[in-house]
């Protein structure tokens, strides 16, 4: 056949040699040889990381001062002492001690011209580098992490330079005895100084190691059927072959980096982020520092300084680095104890690289603090950020807190924040939370836009896999595909390292040069990220909604652990409520025209008390998950709070004319409704009654009050009765509770209420934190011992039963019934004294009731949350232990039973069984948690009708008893100056707080909320000379002016609240 001319093929005619298919598994496993330790470390890239090293001799001279008694002296104090010579290889301790090293460093001649000189210091504990004149420069972590400090350029003059290193004898996670970090700390750990070297770093080798790290991850983690994975494996093996061929020379290392660029591009400058390709993952540096946990507060203060100094240094070296950190308390500590470093941080804040976030005083627990405490977390936090940095926070930041109250969306909005970030629900151990980005809707229908990082961590190591998971685990792709990647060493502090930032540059390089990996970007803020989400919502994107609490399906034991700490919290909140109300009224009295009083509202002292209480509400302190040292600290702080509060009460009592020498008794009522109680006064019962402010004290002998009786029916069986209730107690447990007016038996036949029960309590791992559902299978009743009558008067009767828990522990339950007053409903009052010395046991008290409902109600902050009483689904069963405040209630349409308490937070309702959690006994991280004596009060309140204002008010009254005072003056008008009036059919509004405004001269703040979930109307009535009234947010910014009606002596302001609304009003005088 004929045809045109064809050029000869370039394809070889003959095979030159056999070529096999690479065995992928073998070539992947080979990659470890290049950067790993072990038998090849002397031949691989590790052997080329450093160009020179000097230690000891004239190069690095060390001397040390070891302060006595575990003290932590300031720089000035420490450096005023004599130092003694020391050397590498010596050990320092014990745990929690501090040692100051004077380092006299002289760079040897052969290292002076090296490109990068660093001090490598490693004693396997934390430290801080200080200048000779006392400026903190950088933190050190130890144990091979963050052991380097880049030497200043002026150290290259061949002369000796002096600086200091402050050694803290604890690791990043405290002083756990072995590999289990949550075990109680070993008090006698010693730390060997293993390294104190001047090191010349081969920067090209260091950079190549990170190139190889990321490309190697691509070779392992990209899908097996992707070309990108196979390409990465080829690149890595070419790098290794090139290194070997060049005998590991510097030229070969540079050639290896050129090969790496084929996969990742040029990643050395921050310009890698300047491509025009849209990112979907926004990386933000973060350093979560638990304000206390496995270390005490004193160490946290140093962790803050170490960690934030590191970040300031990284910002100088990496222009794309943005770092965010929350907790106003930590900023305040930095300002107090490290002013030079605080100024450096403040400058970075101005530049926009160091970004305060969160808006709260600490990253607090949100389950157990009162509503007012949550308000003050925001009030004190936002005021601090605004006064120190010129801006309030827009994003509420709680990555590590153990569940989120259903009132947080409303309070966030009222504190000027529309956004919320967390990730903790990724720890759920029963159900997977279904959303990443969503609208979180609170009790009152307020909403915030919420994002939960799909990488499911707030301490990401900026690995290839972290970036990959930020997309693969994203659950809200239908609405938005972007996500936050929060990276940096955390919990114990530290924050991002240079390696984190370098790895992220390479991840971006992979995305742009090769593809398949989601595109990451540094340089934006968290607010930039949320701002884009809000713009999408504004343009019509409908993010999915989640209504109600974000219940955390783990760490349920934190509602109960460290009972004394929780008791302190409840009592401190109550004390602050009372002082603010009384002091506000007294200061207004003192400021009236013609008054000679010098009394002033104690704003400074109240601020200090509040800041201390808010600090103790940190999410590892109040929940009970810290080491024993932390509770020594919190006990001391609470003692100071109570001492200050007692003094402030004495001062305000004196101003109001309450003195021991006065003759007129009066009942002090700090709650905003009329009430009456029987109390013993001088060993005789009197009736204390009255509206808010001062009421009367009346001897009961002349009053028409019902009586009580007690009688023994048979051995160990007693009957207590008044005009409302009749109960039978059989060997310490209530076997019958008959509600007279309702003609209803409360206790199911054959069951026992006020029955103490004990459970085996061994969670899967987190002892202080967790109680698992299987603990319910180990229930054991504790049989009561001898019961005896301990009070038998016409006005109150009581029987006491001592119950043996074990050879080491016992409980005394005193069940009392008081006479019914003014036709009020009665409750069964139970006082429980416990001596507790158990190991991994859980003590509870049970109340079976003849009431049926698929939901029970639990008091939460400013409202009620309803939860299932059944286990229909795994979501229902997950709530086998929940949080409540002053009461829990199980009601039918026309009848119910409430359980009140004075200091407890853990509760469960299973079917018709109500169960209050009393005490736990975990042994980690505090080996002595809850050991000792406890005094607990709880009560059974049967009621006609569904849950209503009666239970809400009784819950308050149970915690805020009337107080008998003696007065020589008429303070009634002063204390009654502000009242809340409601129609008789509407009594759900609670006037919760009266205080002076935060800023002097702005009048009085009144906070009201709807307690039960219906639209409510009310009237603020005041005798104060007010000029204007404004509705405000919780930061006390005016929102709208309200009308004032009435006369000068009785002015009225009509208010209307939506269901569960929290409303704040400012009365301008």
């Amino acid at each position: 056949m004929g045809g045109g001319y064809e050029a000869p093929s370039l394809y070889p005619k003959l095979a030159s040699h056999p070529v096999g298919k690479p065995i992928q598994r073998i070539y992947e496993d080979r990659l470890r040889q290049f950067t790993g330790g072990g038998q090849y470390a002397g031949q691989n890239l590790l052997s080329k990381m450093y160009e020179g090293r000097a230690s000891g001799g004239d190069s690095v001279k060390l001397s040390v001062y070891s302060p006595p008694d575990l003290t932590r002296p300031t720089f000035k104090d420490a450096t005023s002492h004599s130092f003694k010579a020391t050397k590498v290889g010596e050990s320092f301790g014990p745990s929690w001690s501090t040692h100051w090293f004077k380092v006299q460093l002289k760079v040897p001649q052969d290292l002076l011209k090296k490109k990068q000189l660093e001090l490598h210091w490693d004693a396997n504990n934390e430290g801080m580098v200080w200048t000779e004149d006392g400026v903190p420069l950088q933190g050190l972590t130890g144990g091979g992490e963050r052991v380097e400090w880049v030497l200043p350029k002026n150290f290259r003059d061949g002369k000796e330079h002096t600086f200091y290193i402050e050694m803290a004898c604890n690791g990043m996670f405290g002083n756990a005895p072995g590999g289990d970090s949550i075990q109680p700390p070993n008090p006698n750990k010693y730390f060997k100084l293993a390294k104190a070297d001047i090191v010349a770093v081969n920067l090209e080798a260091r950079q190549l190691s990170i190139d190889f790290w990321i490309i190697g991850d691509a070779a392992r983690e990209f899908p097996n059927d992707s070309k990108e994975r196979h390409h990465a494996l080829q690149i890595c093996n070419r790098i290794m072959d090139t290194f070997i061929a060049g005998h590991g020379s510097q030229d070969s290392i540079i050639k290896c980096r050129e090969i790496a660029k084929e996969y990742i591009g040029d990643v050395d400058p921050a310009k890698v982020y300047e491509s025009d390709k849209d990112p979907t993952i926004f990386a933000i540096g973060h350093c979560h520092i638990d304000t206390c946990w496995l270390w005490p507060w004193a160490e946290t203060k140093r962790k803050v300084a170490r960690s934030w100094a590191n970040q300031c240094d990284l910002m100088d070296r990496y222009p794309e680095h943005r770092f965010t950190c929350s907790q106003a308390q930590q900023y305040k500590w930095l300002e107090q104890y490290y002013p030079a470093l605080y100024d450096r941080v403040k400058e970075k804040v101005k530049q926009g690289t160091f970004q305060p976030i969160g808006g709260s005083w600490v990253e607090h627990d949100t389950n157990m603090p009162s509503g007012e405490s949550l308000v003050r977390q925001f009030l004190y936090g936002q005021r601090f950020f605004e006064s120190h940095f010129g801006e309030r926070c827009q994003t509420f930041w709680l990555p590590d807190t153990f569940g989120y109250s259903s009132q947080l969306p409303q309070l966030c909005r009222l504190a000027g924040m529309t956004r919320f970030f967390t990730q903790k629900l990724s720890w759920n151990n029963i159900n997977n939370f279904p959303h990443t980005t969503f609208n979180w809707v609170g009790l009152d229908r307020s909403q915030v836009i919420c994002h939960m990082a799909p990488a499911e961590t707030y301490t990401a190591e900026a690995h290839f896999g972290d970036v990959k998971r930020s997309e693969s685990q994203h659950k809200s792709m239908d609405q938005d595909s972007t996500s936050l990647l929060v990276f940096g060493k955390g919990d114990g502090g530290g924050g991002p390292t240079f390696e984190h930032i370098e790895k992220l540059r390479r991840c971006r390089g992979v995305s742009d040069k090769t593809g398949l990996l989601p595109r990451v970007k540094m340089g934006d803020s968290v607010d930039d990220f949320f701002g884009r989400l809000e713009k999408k919502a504004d343009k019509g994107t409908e993010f999915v909604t989640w209504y109600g609490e974000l219940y955390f399906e783990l760490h349920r034991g934190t509602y109960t652990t460290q009972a004394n700490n929780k008791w302190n919290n409840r009592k401190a909140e109550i004390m602050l409520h009372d002082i603010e109300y009384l002091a506000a009224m007294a200061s207004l009295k003192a400021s009236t025209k013609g008054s000679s009083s010098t009394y002033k509202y104690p704003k400074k002292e109240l601020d200090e008390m509040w800041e201390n209480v808010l600090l103790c509400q940190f999410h590892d302190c109040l929940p009970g998950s810290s080491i024993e040292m932390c509770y020594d600290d919190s006990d001391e702080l609470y003692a100071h709070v109570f001492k200050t509060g007692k003094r402030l009460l004495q001062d305000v009592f004196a101003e109001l004319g309450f003195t021991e020498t006065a003759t007129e008794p009066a009942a002090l009522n700090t709650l905003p409704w009329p009430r009456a109680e029987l109390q013993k006064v001088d060993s005789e019962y009197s009736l204390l009654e009255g509206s808010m402010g001062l009421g009367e004290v009346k001897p009961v002998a002349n009053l028409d009050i019902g009586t009580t009786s007690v009688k023994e029916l048979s051995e160990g069986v007693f009957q207590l009765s008044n005009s409302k209730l009749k109960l039978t107690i059989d060997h310490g447990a209530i076997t019958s509770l008959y509600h007279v007016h309702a003609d209803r038996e409360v206790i199911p036949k054959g069951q026992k209420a006020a029955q103490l029960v004990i459970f085996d309590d061994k969670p899967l791992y987190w002892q202080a934190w967790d109680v698992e559902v299987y603990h319910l299978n180990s229930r054991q009743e504790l049989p009561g011992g001898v019961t005896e009558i301990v009070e038998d008067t016409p006005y109150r009767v009581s029987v006491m039963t001592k119950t043996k828990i074990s050879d080491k522990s016992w409980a005394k339950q005193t069940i009392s019934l008081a006479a019914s007053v003014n036709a009020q409903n009665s409750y069964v009052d139970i006082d429980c004294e416990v001596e507790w010395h158990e190991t991994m046991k859980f003590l509870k008290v049970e109340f079976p009731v003849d009431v049926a409902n698929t939901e029970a109600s639990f008091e939460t902050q400013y409202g009620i949350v309803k939860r299932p009483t059944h286990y229909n689904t795994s979501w229902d069963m997950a709530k086998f232990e929940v949080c409540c405040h002053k009461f829990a209630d199980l009601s039918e349409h026309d009848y119910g039973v409430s359980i009140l308490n004075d200091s407890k937070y853990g509760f469960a309702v299973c079917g018709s069984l109500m169960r209050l959690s009393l005490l736990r006994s975990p042994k980690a991280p505090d080996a002595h948690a809850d050991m000792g004596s406890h005094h607990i009060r709880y009560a059974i309140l049967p009621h006609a009708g569904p849950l209503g204002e009666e239970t809400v008010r009784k819950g308050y009254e149970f915690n805020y008893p009337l107080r008998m005072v003696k007065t020589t003056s008429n303070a009634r008008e002063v204390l009654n100056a502000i009242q809340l009036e409601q129609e008789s059919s509407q009594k759900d509004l609670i006037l919760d707080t009266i205080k002076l405004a935060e800023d002097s001269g702005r009048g009085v703040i009144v906070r009201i909320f709807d307690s039960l979930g219906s639209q409510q109307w009310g009237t603020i009535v005041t005798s104060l000379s007010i000029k204007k009234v404004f509705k405000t947010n919780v930061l006390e910014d005016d929102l709208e002016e309200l009308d004032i009606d009435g006369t000068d002596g009785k002015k009225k302001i009509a208010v209307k609240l939506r269901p569960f609304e929290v409303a704040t009003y400012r009365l301008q005088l």
Side-chain angles (χ1 to χ4, degrees):
M1 294 177 62
Y5 171 79
E6 292 185 9
S9 171
L10 297 178
Y11 178 68
K13 181 177 182 181
L14 302 177
S16 62
H17 60 279
V19 178
K21 179 179 180 178
I23 309 302
Q24 184 173 334
R25 174 177 52 81
I26 292 175
Y27 279 82
E28 279 184 17
D29 288 347
R30 180 197 185 203
L31 303 186
R32 299 188 184 93
Q33 294 182 2
F34 193 51
T35 54
Q39 60 183 333
Y40 302 118
Q43 302 294 316
N44 66 16
L45 185 59
L46 287 183
S47 66
K48 305 299 179 181
M49 298 294 282
Y50 306 115
E51 299 175 326
R53 184 182 296 269
S55 61
D58 290 336
S59 297
V60 183
K61 292 188 287 188
L62 302 175
S63 54
V64 65
Y65 163 63
S66 298
D69 303 324
L70 305 186
T71 55
R72 295 175 173 88
T74 63
F75 175 90
K76 183 178 180 181
D77 181 11
T79 55
S80 70
H81 289 82
S82 299
F83 284 66
K84 66 175 184 178
T86 190
K87 62 183 183 299
V88 170
E90 291 197 0
S91 294
F92 302 88
S95 305
W96 310 117
S97 61
T98 298
H99 305 268
W100 282 83
F101 292 83
K102 184 176 184 180
V103 184
Q104 293 166 285
L105 183 146
K106 182 178 180 181
V107 178
Q109 288 295 322
D110 62 325
L111 299 182
L112 285 176
K113 294 185 179 180
K114 298 296 183 182
K115 190 172 183 179
Q116 173 107 339
L117 294 179
E118 297 175 352
L119 173 74
H120 285 199
W121 175 281
D122 195 350
N124 203 32
N125 58 16
E126 293 193 85
M128 171 74 95
V129 180
W130 294 75
T131 66
E132 188 175 14
D133 55 352
V135 176
L137 295 177
Q138 183 193 303
L140 302 167
T141 299
E145 288 195 354
R146 210 180 323 247
V147 298
E148 75 287 339
W149 173 53
V150 179
L151 296 182
K153 291 181 179 179
N154 66 337
F155 278 34
R156 296 169 177 266
D157 58 4
K159 299 179 181 179
E160 184 176 273
H161 294 266
T162 299
F163 58 93
Y164 293 86
I165 293 179
E166 177 189 18
M167 174 193 285
C169 283
N170 53 266
M172 187 66 81
F173 292 90
N175 280 304
D180 187 349
S181 65
I182 71 164
Q183 294 305 307
N186 177 358
N188 292 304
K189 287 186 77 170
Y190 280 76
F191 297 84
K192 181 179 178 180
L193 178 58
K195 188 182 297 182
D197 300 345
I198 302 171
V199 177
V201 178
N202 183 343
L203 289 179
E204 289 292 342
R206 178 181 278 178
Q207 294 290 75
L208 177 59
S209 71
I210 304 174
D211 294 345
F212 193 85
W213 187 346
I214 295 301
I215 302 172
D217 281 350
R220 287 179 289 268
E221 297 188 40
F222 270 152
N224 197 44
D225 60 356
S226 66
K227 67 180 187 297
E228 292 85 358
R229 176 171 181 153
H230 291 274
H231 189 198
L233 185 59
Q234 292 168 359
I235 290 287
C236 286
N237 277 278
R238 282 176 57 199
I239 287 172
M240 293 180 71
D241 292 342
T242 301
F243 181 84
I244 292 168
H247 305 290
S249 66
Q250 192 69 10
D251 283 346
S252 73
I253 290 172
I254 292 171
K255 289 178 182 177
C256 289
R257 293 215 68 207
E258 289 300 314
I259 295 170
K261 287 180 182 179
E262 296 177 26
Y263 200 86
I264 61 176
D266 185 5
V267 295
D268 285 348
K271 290 181 179 179
V272 68
Y273 295 112
E274 294 178 6
S275 73
D276 58 358
K277 300 175 181 177
D278 290 336
T280 57
I281 299 163
F282 298 87
I284 187 75
H286 179 53
C287 173
H288 181 69
I289 304 177
D290 284 317
T291 302
C292 66
W293 181 30
L294 303 177
W295 51 87
W297 285 327
E299 196 56 45
T300 304
K301 296 168 186 176
R302 301 202 294 191
K303 283 177 176 286
V304 169
R306 292 190 287 257
S307 302
W308 294 4
N310 293 339
Q311 301 315 306
C312 289
D313 175 63
L314 287 174
M315 289 167 196
D316 292 337
R317 294 156 58 190
Y318 293 92
E320 73 267 36
H321 184 36
R322 301 293 181 270
F323 176 75
T324 194
C325 219
S326 64
Q327 307 195 75
Q329 174 69 83
Q330 293 185 5
Y331 288 85
K332 182 174 181 177
W333 279 339
L334 192 74
E335 183 182 28
Q336 287 176 318
Y337 300 108
Y338 300 89
L341 179 54
Y342 174 78
D343 288 342
R344 190 179 178 194
V345 166
K346 197 167 184 177
E347 184 58 34
K348 299 297 183 186
V349 173
K350 280 185 183 178
Q351 295 170 6
T353 52
F354 196 116
Q355 298 165 352
I357 201 167
S360 57
W361 190 249
V362 293
E363 286 186 16
H364 52 92
D365 177 74
T366 77
N367 289 311
M368 291 169 283
S370 68
E372 192 61 30
S373 286
L374 294 185
V375 166
R376 301 307 174 96
Q377 288 284 354
F378 292 139
L379 179 67
Y380 282 87
Q382 289 285 49
R383 286 178 67 86
F384 183 93
F385 288 124
E386 184 175 28
S387 63
H388 287 71
F389 304 117
E391 290 185 356
R392 294 173 179 173
C393 300
Q394 298 179 64
T395 302
F396 187 31
W397 183 270
L398 280 188
D400 193 32
T401 294
F402 312 149
Y404 305 95
S405 164
S406 51
Q407 280 289 26
L408 283 178
Q410 178 178 191
L411 297 180
C412 283
R413 298 304 295 257
L414 290 170
M417 293 182 285
T418 59
R419 303 124 179 216
F420 177 54
F421 174 84
T422 186
Q423 63 79 53
K424 197 65 176 180
L425 268 62
S426 66
W427 285 41
N428 279 4
N429 71 345
I430 295 181
N431 298 286
N432 291 321
F433 191 77
H435 309 306
T436 292
T437 303
F438 59 98
N439 289 320
W440 180 24
V441 184
L443 274 183
D444 76 318
R445 295 185 296 115
S446 293
Q447 67 177 4
V448 290
I449 192 161
C450 179
H451 181 73
M452 297 189 183
E456 297 186 348
T457 181
Y458 52 91
T459 58
E461 291 283 353
H463 290 320
F464 179 97
D466 291 320
V467 175
K468 186 167 172 281
R469 284 186 292 275
S470 293
E471 181 172 275
S472 64
Q473 296 181 167
H474 200 299
K475 301 170 185 174
S476 301
M477 288 289 193
D478 291 341
Q479 292 82 39
D480 184 80
S481 61
T482 64
S483 66
L484 281 174
L485 175 61
V486 182
F487 71 95
K489 306 286 184 180
D491 291 333
T497 66
F498 78 87
E499 286 180 326
H500 292 153
I501 301 172
E502 293 284 359
K503 284 191 288 181
L504 288 172
R505 285 184 177 182
R506 285 152 179 81
C507 286
R508 176 57 181 263
V510 170
S511 304
D512 288 348
K513 183 71 175 178
T514 299
L516 195 58
L517 187 68
R519 190 166 286 108
V520 67
K521 182 179 188 294
M522 287 187 67
D524 282 10
S525 68
V526 173
D527 286 332
D528 291 335
F529 172 79
F530 275 106
R532 286 187 289 269
L533 294 178
E534 290 182 351
K535 284 181 181 178
K536 286 194 73 171
D538 185 55
K539 291 180 180 179
T541 298
E542 289 191 319
F543 290 100
V544 298
T545 55
W546 183 274
Y547 280 76
E549 67 178 331
L550 293 172
Y551 177 83
F552 184 39
E553 296 178 3
L554 201 67
H555 295 2
R556 303 168 185 88
T558 59
Y559 311 143
T560 304
T561 310
Q562 297 288 0
N564 181 63
N565 199 52
K566 291 170 169 59
W567 187 94
N568 284 335
N569 176 73
R570 179 82 61 89
K571 303 311 174 187
E573 289 173 335
I574 291 169
M575 174 178 271
L576 280 160
H577 167 277
D578 289 353
I579 293 171
E580 287 187 327
Y581 158 58
L582 296 170
M585 297 298 95
S587 64
L588 294 176
K589 168 181 173 289
S591 64
T592 56
K593 187 175 181 180
S595 172
S596 60
S597 173
T598 59
Y599 182 82
K600 301 292 184 185
Y601 187 73
K603 180 72 168 62
K604 180 180 178 182
E605 293 89 342
L606 285 168
D607 285 346
E608 180 190 39
M609 289 176 69
W610 267 117
E611 287 181 9
N612 288 339
V613 171
L614 299 179
L615 170 58
C616 291
Q617 290 172 350
F618 177 73
H619 70 253
D620 275 309
C621 186
L622 180 56
S625 48
S626 292
I627 61 173
E628 188 172 10
M629 295 172 74
C630 298
Y631 297 106
D632 293 338
D633 286 348
S634 65
D635 286 349
E636 183 178 343
L637 207 56
Y638 276 123
H640 179 66
V641 166
F642 293 134
K643 182 179 179 181
T644 302
K646 184 178 180 180
R647 176 173 56 80
L648 295 183
L649 281 172
Q650 289 172 343
D651 292 345
V652 73
F653 280 6
E655 174 63 23
L656 293 170
F658 307 159
T659 66
E660 287 298 320
T661 58
T663 57
E664 181 186 344
L668 179 59
N669 178 16
T670 59
L671 296 178
W673 54 78
R675 50 194 286 221
E677 290 177 11
L678 288 170
Q679 287 188 19
K680 272 191 175 179
V681 177
D682 298 327
S683 75
E684 296 291 336
Y685 277 101
S686 293
L687 178 66
L688 280 64
E689 65 176 341
S691 298
M692 188 176 193
L694 285 183
E696 297 180 298
V697 177
K698 303 174 183 177
V700 294
N702 303 324
L703 300 176
D704 183 17
I705 290 179
T707 58
T708 59
S709 67
V710 59
K711 57 185 177 181
E712 187 168 10
L713 303 179
S714 60
E715 185 178 350
V717 181
F718 296 81
Q719 185 181 82
L720 284 64
S721 61
N722 66 12
S723 61
K724 304 291 184 181
L725 301 175
K726 182 184 294 185
L727 60 151
T728 302
I729 299 169
D730 188 343
H731 292 86
I734 301 171
T735 55
S736 173
L737 174 54
Y738 178 66
H739 193 172
V740 176
H741 285 194
D743 188 22
R744 183 150 177 169
E745 173 60 53
V746 174
I747 311 300
K749 186 175 181 180
Q751 298 193 40
K752 296 177 283 187
Q755 173 65 58
L756 294 171
V757 289
I758 196 164
F759 300 81
D760 191 66
D761 189 15
K762 297 185 182 73
L764 296 174
Y765 176 65
W766 300 96
Q767 283 194 47
W769 294 259
D770 289 349
V771 58
E772 298 292 358
V773 67
Y774 55 74
H775 88 287
L776 296 170
N777 300 333
S778 64
R779 175 186 178 275
Q780 289 183 313
E781 288 188 6
L782 294 171
V786 175
T787 301
E788 59 181 329
I789 298 171
V790 292
E791 184 171 11
D792 184 3
T793 73
Y795 309 110
R796 185 179 176 91
V797 291
S798 305
V799 297
M800 185 271 288
T801 305
K802 185 170 183 179
T803 298
K804 180 180 179 181
I805 298 172
S806 71
D807 291 339
K808 299 173 291 185
S809 305
W810 52 262
K812 287 181 182 177
Q813 267 200 143
T814 301
I815 301 175
S816 302
L817 192 62
S820 175
V821 176
N822 297 347
Q824 292 183 33
N825 203 0
S826 289
Y827 56 73
V828 180
D829 193 339
I830 306 171
D831 189 289
C832 188
E833 181 185 351
V834 186
E835 190 65 28
W836 183 246
H837 299 281
E838 296 303 296
T839 296
M840 301 179 194
K841 299 295 181 184
F842 200 151
L843 182 67
K844 307 186 185 187
V845 60
E846 293 183 341
F847 306 93
V849 296
D850 191 13
V851 176
N853 199 325
T854 56
E855 288 184 322
S857 299
F858 304 83
E859 188 191 37
T860 188
Q861 299 95 348
Y862 298 129
I864 304 296
V865 60
K866 294 185 177 182
R867 301 183 178 109
T869 62
H870 53 78
Y871 295 162
N872 282 1
T873 70
S874 60
W875 292 89
D876 300 324
M877 189 179 73
K879 296 179 181 179
F880 63 85
E881 180 84 3
V882 298
C883 185
C884 78
H885 282 220
K886 297 185 290 294
F887 67 83
D889 181 85
L890 183 63
S891 289
E892 298 168 352
H893 171 68
D894 62 351
Y895 194 82
V897 177
S898 302
I899 305 298
L900 317 178
N901 77 84
D902 77 333
S903 60
K904 294 296 157 186
Y905 297 93
F907 209 93
V909 180
C910 180
S912 295
L913 177 63
M914 308 178 77
R915 188 187 292 124
L916 177 66
S917 297
L918 301 180
L919 295 168
R920 298 185 69 225
S921 49
K923 299 305 172 188
D926 177 2
H928 305 106
D930 285 327
M931 297 299 97
S933 301
H934 300 270
H935 185 202
I936 311 159
R937 285 184 66 226
Y938 35 92
I940 311 170
L941 174 67
H943 56 83
L947 172 65
E949 75 274 357
E950 178 186 17
T951 292
V952 175
R953 292 185 173 192
K954 288 296 183 185
Y956 271 92
E957 291 170 15
F958 197 72
N959 282 268
Y960 292 74
L962 289 169
R963 187 195 307 245
M964 203 279 284
V965 296
K966 294 182 179 179
T967 179
T968 55
S969 65
N970 188 354
R972 284 180 172 80
E973 281 189 22
V974 176
L975 296 179
N976 294 344
I978 298 175
Q979 299 281 326
L980 176 64
E981 293 183 353
Q982 298 171 80
E983 297 293 332
S984 58
S985 60
Q986 285 198 323
K987 295 185 178 179
D988 297 354
L989 293 182
I990 304 292
L991 197 169
D992 192 55
T993 297
I994 296 176
K995 59 183 281 291
L996 290 196
E998 289 299 301
D999 296 320
S1000 179
R1002 282 177 53 83
V1004 181
I1005 296 295
V1006 175
R1007 195 152 13 254
I1008 299 170
F1009 71 94
D1010 167 57
S1011 61
L1012 288 170
S1014 64
Q1015 194 172 89
Q1016 293 280 307
W1017 291 262
T1019 304
I1020 300 172
V1021 180
T1022 180
S1023 59
L1024 298 175
S1025 298
I1026 58 173
K1027 298 177 181 177
K1028 294 181 178 181
V1029 175
F1030 297 89
K1031 190 173 186 179
T1032 76
N1033 58 22
V1034 298
L1035 304 182
E1036 302 179 11
D1037 302 319
D1038 295 341
L1039 303 177
E1040 61 174 311
E1041 187 172 355
L1042 303 183
D1043 294 333
I1044 303 174
D1045 296 322
T1047 62
D1048 285 343
K1050 196 173 185 180
K1051 292 186 176 180
K1052 297 182 178 183
I1053 304 96
V1055 297
K1056 177 184 176 183
L1057 279 72
R1058 65 181 178 273
F1060 294 123
E1061 182 182 358
V1062 180
T1064 304
Y1065 304 94
R1066 184 174 71 85
L1067 282 56
Q1068 179 66 60
L1069 303 178

